[in-house]
């Protein structure tokens, strides 16, 4: 993890938020390469979901009517048990003490549960994870609103708007990508648990009785999505929630977990939420949230199958999964260590790098022309400094799948060398085929 965090900063994937002021706990900024990778993750998800004829997109506001969070159960139930150490003042989630370390520097490496056993902790208190703020100039209870702790509720309250405007019928889904905020007691493990993060949620509305079938369908599809973008099957697993651990709204729930360097961690949850959400919004708003089927003349409250992925957590899984240190030959036949990010080409922040072998003989002009031509379709990087071997290493480290080099042969036959990141195999292609070559590989 330390190597990855330092690569992220050095190469511009992720920076600490407000770093020059000492940072803000649980908040991170995406740098030039990070923002491309994150956009690509979200784009892949959005395309996978909304290219289906039975899924519509939406972008709901972050601030919502406060009654939404009463109906959803968040005001009452979205709490974590919190304890404080009376001695060092560190704060812990009472249900996560097993993994926590004592906050006192004098006892470095000491496990927090030892302090607990010695009676240093306060009683557990429930702490609501929603961030509260106020609309308008007066900070009074009547103007309090919450930063949404999940994007799902924006979908539920718009169920009938989307259904009637897009003329969908259950089974159909609504997809949304957006920021969510949780005032986590302990943020940790880099991007894994942050206070501000992005979710990619798709809520699928189905007729009661067909919910189990659709639940199994989406559980499989979501696992396939991660596998299809290159994550190894040995690093992914399902974790089924035991009946006594199910959330108050759920009939069944599976997490998709990724094996991070610190252990298995949830990257997506798939839940059978029954008719809980729509029924509660109907009850709290007084507005009917039922669907009327014109053909069968049935009126019913759809069940919801939720697929809820963290964009930031998925980003981190793709990042961790891509990182390798490998032996690679140098140009003079010796072996050296190369750091490679084996991103799926569609996720890679930069798709191709263009190098003139030397900065003379007309090579830079041809290389710049090629760069301009490719830039119209892809994110490209131009590099003319240092030995080509070093330029390859710099691109390997950020996961650029293709490097195109203009050399003396280009001047004779208008071909370029394409070097593929994972195999390091080089081949020659016509310069006029370069854009088509990259495009084909991205969609292979
Ligand atoms: P956890 O048990 O890890 O707190 P959760 O079960 O509360 O997660 P959900 O409410 O199901 O998570 O949220 C759906 C997804 O949103 C999670 O799978 C995760 O990818 C992401 N997510 C939730 N909380 C955070 C957070 N604090 N930081 C980053 N991503 C998060």
């Amino acid at each position: 993890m330390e190597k990855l965090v330092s690569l992220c900063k050095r190469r511009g994937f992720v920076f600490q938020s407000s770093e020059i002021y000492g940072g803000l706990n649980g908040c991170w900024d995406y740098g030039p390469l990070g923002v491309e990778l994150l956009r690509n993750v979200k784009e892949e998800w959005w395309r996978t979901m909304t290219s289906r004829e039975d899924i519509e997109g939406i972008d709901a506001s972050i601030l919502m009517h406060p009654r939404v969070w009463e109906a959803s159960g968040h005001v009452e139930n979205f709490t974590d048990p919190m304890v404080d150490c009376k001695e060092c003042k560190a704060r812990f989630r009472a249900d996560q003490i097993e993994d926590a370390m004592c906050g006192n520097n004098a006892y470095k490496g000491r496990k927090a549960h030892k302090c607990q056993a010695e009676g240093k902790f306060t009683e557990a208190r429930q702490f609501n994870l929603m961030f509260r703020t106020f609309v308008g100039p007066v900070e009074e209870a009547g103007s309090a609103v919450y930063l949404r702790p999940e994007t799902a509720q924006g979908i539920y309250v718009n169920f009938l708007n989307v259904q009637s405007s897009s003329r969908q019928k259950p089974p159909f889904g609504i997809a949304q990508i957006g920021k969510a905020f949780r005032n986590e007691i302990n943020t940790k493990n880099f991007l894994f648990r942050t206070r501000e993060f992005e979710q990619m949620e798709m809520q699928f509305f189905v007729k009661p009785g067909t919910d189990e079938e659709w639940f199994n369908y989406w559980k499989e599809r979501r696992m396939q999505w991660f596998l299809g973008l290159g994550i190894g099957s040995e690093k992914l697993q399902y974790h089924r929630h035991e009946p006594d651990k199910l959330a108050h709204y759920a009939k069944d729930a599976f997490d998709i977990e990724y094996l991070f360097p610190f252990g298995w961690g949830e990257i997506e949850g798939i839940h059978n939420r029954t008719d809980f959400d729509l029924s509660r919004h109907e009850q709290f708003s007084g507005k009917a949230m039922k669907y009327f089927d014109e053909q069968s003349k049935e009126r019913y409250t759809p069940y919801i199958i939720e697929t809820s992925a963290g964009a930031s957590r998925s980003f981190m899984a793709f990042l961790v999964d891509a990182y390798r240190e490998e032996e690679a030959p140098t140009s003079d036949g010796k072996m050296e260590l190369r750091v490679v990010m084996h991103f799926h080409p569609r996720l890679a922040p930069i798709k191709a790098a263009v190098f003139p072998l030397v900065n003379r003989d007309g090579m830079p002009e041809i290389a710049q022309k090629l760069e301009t031509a490719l830039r119209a379709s892809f994110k490209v990087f131009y590099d003319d400094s240092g030995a080509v071997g070093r330029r390859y290493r710099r691109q390997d480290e950020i996961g650029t799948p293709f490097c195109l080099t203009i050399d003396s042969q280009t001047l004779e036959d208008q071909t370029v060398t394409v070097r593929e990141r994972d195999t390091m195999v080089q081949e020659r292609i016509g310069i006029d085929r370069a854009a088509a070559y990259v495009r084909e590989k991205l969609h292979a």
Side-chain angles (χ1 to χ4, degrees), residues 41-245:
V41 170
K42 292 188 286 185
E43 188 53 38
E44 279 299 311
W45 183 91
W46 188 255
R47 205 181 45 78
T48 306
M49 290 298 181
T50 60
S51 60
R52 293 171 57 111
E53 58 183 11
D54 57 357
I55 295 185
E56 306 290 341
I58 189 180
D59 188 3
S61 65
I62 287 173
L63 299 177
M64 300 180 73
H65 194 288
R67 289 276 284 166
V68 167
W69 307 108
E70 289 171 33
S72 68
H74 282 80
V75 170
E76 197 183 334
N77 296 317
F78 198 53
T79 55
D80 277 339
M82 174 177 82
V83 290
D84 291 306
C85 175
K86 288 181 260 185
E87 190 176 301
C88 74
K89 312 289 177 223
R91 186 156 277 174
F92 302 97
R93 247 176 82 167
D95 55 345
Q96 290 182 351
I97 298 222
E98 231 8 73
D99 303 329
M101 305 304 284
C102 167
N104 189 339
N105 281 339
Y107 302 126
K108 215 168 180 336
R110 181 184 164 96
K111 295 269 194 184
H113 65 80
K114 287 200 171 163
C115 309
Q116 186 181 34
E118 289 166 11
K120 292 179 184 169
F121 286 4
T122 59
E123 288 295 309
R125 286 168 293 152
Q126 288 300 327
F127 170 73
N128 195 298
L129 301 187
M130 285 196 292
F131 279 98
R132 205 157 82 114
T133 185
F134 300 90
V135 283
V138 186
E139 292 195 9
E140 59 189 12
S143 60
V145 290
Y146 300 99
L147 299 189
R148 66 181 176 196
E150 61 175 30
T151 56
Q153 300 301 326
I155 295 180
Y156 303 149
V157 297
N158 278 299
F159 161 65
L160 284 177
N161 284 338
V162 175
Q163 183 272 318
S164 56
S165 59
S166 58
R167 308 184 59 182
Q168 288 280 4
K169 296 175 179 174
F172 81 98
I174 305 178
Q176 170 165 231
I177 298 178
K179 291 249 175 169
F181 304 82
R182 295 183 187 180
N183 201 356
E184 301 278 0
I185 295 170
N186 293 125
T187 57
K188 60 178 182 183
N189 294 329
F190 194 31
L191 305 171
F192 185 79
R193 188 172 302 286
T194 55
R195 297 202 166 104
E196 175 177 339
F197 55 96
E198 253 179 313
Q199 292 187 312
M200 308 184 289
E201 296 198 307
M202 194 284 295
Q203 312 288 332
F204 206 71
F205 300 85
V206 304
K207 190 172 176 188
T210 63
D211 50 305
E212 287 176 20
E213 193 186 316
W214 280 109
F215 178 74
N216 289 330
Y217 171 86
W218 280 111
K219 182 184 137 226
E220 293 300 322
R221 291 303 281 241
R222 294 308 304 145
M223 181 63 99
Q224 287 307 320
W225 187 78
F226 288 104
L227 292 168
L229 287 171
I231 296 193
S233 55
E234 70 290 352
K235 294 280 180 70
L236 289 167
Q237 71 176 19
Y238 289 115
H239 165 80
R240 188 177 202 160
H241 292 208
E242 296 301 327
D244 58 329
K245 296 265 165 53

Side-chain angles (χ1 to χ4, degrees), residues 390-406:
R390 285 180 56 104
R391 290 184 240 172
Y392 284 151
R393 294 288 171 273
R394 288 201 285 263
Q395 295 307 312
D396 287 345
E397 203 183 37
I398 59 170
T400 307
F402 309 106
C403 292
L404 305 157
T405 306
I406 311 298

Side-chain angles (χ1 to χ4, degrees), residues 10-11 33 339 353 355 381-400 403 419:
R10 188 161 40 80
R11 298 306 309 266
L33 293 183
V339 171
F355 309 151
F381 190 80
Y382 184 85
D383 190 359
D384 60 1
S385 70
V388 164
R390 285 180 56 104
R391 290 184 240 172
Y392 284 151
R393 294 288 171 273
R394 288 201 285 263
Q395 295 307 312
D396 287 345
E397 203 183 37
I398 59 170
T400 307
C403 292
R419 182 259 198 189

